[in-house]
Amino acid sequence: TFSFGVASAFLTFTGTSAVMFLTPFYLQRVLGYGPREAGLVVVPGAVCMALVGVISGRLSDRYGWRMFTMGGLGLIVCALFILSRLTLTSSIFLVIPGLILQSTGMGIFYSPNISSVLSAVTREKYGVVSAFMNLIRNAGNVTSVAIATAIVTATMATMGFEPSLDAVQPGGAAGVASAFTSGLRIAYLTMMGLLALALAISAFKFQPAGQNTTESKLELEPH
């Protein structure tokens, strides 16, 4: 439970963190929105994450964490599929629902995932495990941005453009923006694959430690 919970968290952060880095970049450099407008697009998702996270945490304590971790990851997979459909002329009303779904799914997933990991250790180790989970989250954040940026710039290079995000400028050559958007779609599909793997990992169910041993002893005792 501990290992699979940690692996699921790492894959989830690796598959989601790049969205909050590349999507505002896309809004400003491709669609031509200003920093303020791009920031406002992110706000609804952040509000949903804050509200849903509290509710998901409380409900998972009562009904178990598996349905919430899997449900949250399912929403994130749907969100990345929506965002992978972005083009040079996509409407902002395609971006906003994708970001809201992604943030809502993350809010549903994270608290139950932490609960599942903590359930596998003793109370004395909660502090160490919480710090370890923060390390996993930060490692996933860095890895996500690195992988997604590498995919985008490699796609730009294969299409004959400078492999740099700085090459994408508002009102610049349409070919550069098109290459960036193509790379963005490939990156989001790759992230979606990582999240599908995290979803599969979260579906595993383990018996509490010692349960098999206890049952075996009961079977061996004479009646």
Side-chain angles (χ1 to χ4, degrees):
T1 299
F2 179 87
S3 299
F4 275 52
V6 170
S8 180
F10 177 75
L11 289 171
T12 299
F13 283 108
T14 302
T16 58
S17 298
V19 173
M20 304 311 296
F21 172 71
L22 289 176
T23 302
F25 194 94
Y26 164 81
L27 291 171
Q28 295 181 65
R29 300 292 183 89
V30 177
L31 298 187
Y33 290 97
R36 181 174 60 182
E37 289 79 8
L40 289 174
V41 170
V42 179
V43 169
V47 173
C48 290
M49 181 187 294
L51 295 177
V52 171
V54 176
I55 298 172
S56 176
R58 291 184 178 275
L59 292 178
S60 66
D61 291 339
R62 177 178 299 181
Y63 300 107
W65 48 265
R66 182 170 290 100
M67 69 174 72
F68 294 96
T69 56
M70 294 181 63
L73 289 171
L75 286 180
I76 302 174
V77 169
C78 293
L80 282 173
F81 178 77
I82 292 173
L83 293 174
S84 69
R85 304 296 94 194
L86 296 177
T87 65
L88 288 174
T89 57
S90 292
S91 169
I92 197 172
F93 296 106
L94 178 64
V95 178
I96 293 177
L99 293 179
I100 289 176
L101 275 180
Q102 187 263 335
S103 298
T104 301
M106 196 66 198
I108 294 173
F109 165 83
Y110 190 56
S111 294
N113 174 256
I114 291 291
S115 296
S116 73
V117 173
L118 292 177
S119 71
V121 301
T122 59
R123 185 175 295 273
E124 291 77 13
K125 296 181 180 179
Y126 279 5
V128 174
V129 172
S130 296
F132 178 67
M133 291 303 292
N134 284 330
L135 173 64
I136 293 298
R137 180 186 64 193
N138 291 331
N141 291 340
V142 174
T143 304
S144 178
V145 174
I147 291 176
T149 303
I151 291 173
V152 171
T153 53
T155 303
M156 294 172 65
T158 59
M159 297 179 70
F161 298 98
E162 180 185 355
S164 172
L165 297 182
D166 290 333
V168 186
Q169 297 293 335
V176 177
S178 178
F180 168 81
T181 306
S182 297
L184 187 71
R185 292 196 297 268
I186 296 173
Y188 284 168
L189 288 174
T190 303
M191 302 294 105
M192 188 173 72
L194 294 176
L195 286 161
L197 179 58
L199 179 60
I201 290 175
S202 295
F204 279 88
K205 184 177 182 180
F206 300 96
Q207 292 180 341
Q211 181 173 330
N212 289 333
T213 303
T214 303
E215 291 176 351
S216 298
K217 289 181 179 179
L218 290 175
E219 291 176 356
L220 292 174
E221 289 180 356
H223 297 285

